[in-house]
Amino acid sequence: VLDDDQARSILGRLMGVLAPGSYLAVAHPTLEVTGEKMAAAIRYWNSHGTPPGRHRTPDQLARLLDGLVLQGGADASPLTYGEAPLDAEWAGDRLRDVYEIELLHEFVEAGKPVLGICRGAQLINVAFGGTLFQDIGTQLPEAQAHVSAAYEKNLHEMRIEPGSGLARLYPGVERARINSIHHQSIKALGRNLRVEARSEPEGIVEAVRGSGKGYVFAVQWHPEFHAPGDASVLDSAPILDEFLLAARG
């Protein structure tokens, strides 16, 4: 059972990202918001009402905020890209997909930058008409393990595409080591997207950039898990700096 302060704290984290009538599953290692706590917070919300001025629709958020980060979490639902789940465990979060795709399009339309991380990269691809491998181990059995119990310590090599925006951020770098925490990946590429990096040796898409309106960039790895100064993995600073520069307008 949550007391008022705990409920308000959890709701404060959710208010900015919940659409009317929608529930957003939050899956992030630092939030520590469990399904039970979220359900309790929503019950509190329903009985006490929405705090005045806290709720925003996707178009309002796109006007108010400087940029959008689509983070990791639950699988994208195969239903979102016109397929049936090959396994019940890969059914994903359809409600979150729909809401985040609406957010994405509103930010793009408003000329605000969008950065996708892990699931965010997959969702951006789906939002522009692409599809996903529902499970790398099943559909690409020859591929190396892209997720393991080691979590962010699971690393592999990637190849940066020559002449890409990523290559511009890392001049002289052709290959780099990144973390890998995903069992799904981009299959058919979405419209107006360019591949900027692929895993070595199997060639799974690791980064994409929009070629249409505004700034849209996404990576399959988690740059926030690359410790500053760790020479064994790709330095995340250029990616984050580019996004922040775009957000400044």
Side-chain angles (χ1 to χ4, degrees):
V1 178
L2 300 178
D3 61 31
D4 283 4
D5 288 341
Q6 290 174 319
R8 290 191 187 99
S9 175
I10 293 174
L11 287 173
R13 295 171 177 175
L14 299 176
M15 285 300 165
V17 292
L18 283 174
S22 296
Y23 293 88
L24 179 62
V26 176
H28 193 284
T30 63
L31 284 180
E32 298 179 355
V33 179
T34 64
E36 181 180 349
K37 287 183 178 179
M38 185 181 293
I42 289 171
R43 287 195 296 272
Y44 179 94
W45 181 5
N46 289 339
S47 62
H48 290 72
T50 304
R54 296 298 301 277
H55 181 74
R56 296 288 185 269
T57 60
D59 61 319
Q60 291 173 328
L61 287 171
R63 290 194 299 271
L64 291 169
L65 302 181
D66 296 319
L68 173 67
V69 177
L70 294 172
Q71 66 174 17
D75 288 349
S77 172
L79 298 175
T80 307
Y81 48 93
E83 295 184 9
L86 299 177
D87 188 292
E89 292 186 3
W90 309 331
D93 191 336
R94 170 71 175 155
L95 287 176
R96 180 177 173 182
D97 294 350
V98 171
Y99 178 61
E100 290 187 344
I101 287 173
E102 184 179 356
L103 266 180
L104 167 63
H105 287 308
E106 291 289 353
F107 273 77
V108 170
E109 186 62 30
K112 304 291 183 68
V114 179
L115 174 64
I117 296 174
C118 197
R119 167 196 155 88
Q122 298 164 10
L123 194 76
I124 286 171
N125 186 64
V126 169
F128 288 104
T131 62
L132 304 177
F133 289 109
Q134 295 184 33
D135 183 67
I136 294 171
T138 301
Q139 295 178 280
L140 297 171
E142 72 283 358
Q144 63 190 308
H146 282 255
V147 64
S148 78
Y151 203 63
E152 80 277 10
K153 302 300 183 184
N154 185 46
L155 307 174
H156 65 68
E157 299 289 324
M158 76 167 182
R159 181 185 71 255
I160 296 175
E161 294 293 327
S164 65
L166 198 60
R168 184 186 68 252
L169 292 180
Y170 297 93
V173 178
E174 296 180 359
R175 286 175 170 77
R177 198 161 179 79
I178 54 172
N179 63 58
S180 186
I181 318 171
H182 62 104
H183 82 101
Q184 297 189 316
S185 66
I186 290 174
K187 185 179 179 181
L189 192 64
R191 298 180 301 276
N192 298 321
L193 293 176
R194 297 190 303 264
V195 175
E196 297 217 332
R198 294 182 181 273
S199 66
E200 287 283 347
E202 66 274 276
I204 287 175
V205 174
E206 293 288 345
V208 294
R209 187 179 297 269
S211 59
K213 179 181 178 181
Y215 177 97
V216 178
F217 181 62
V219 297
Q220 186 58 76
W221 68 95
H222 283 262
E224 72 274 19
F225 290 152
H226 287 184
D230 185 353
S232 68
V233 292
L234 185 69
D235 179 14
S236 298
I239 293 172
L240 301 179
D241 287 347
E242 182 189 46
F243 171 68
L244 292 174
L245 181 63
R248 291 189 188 104

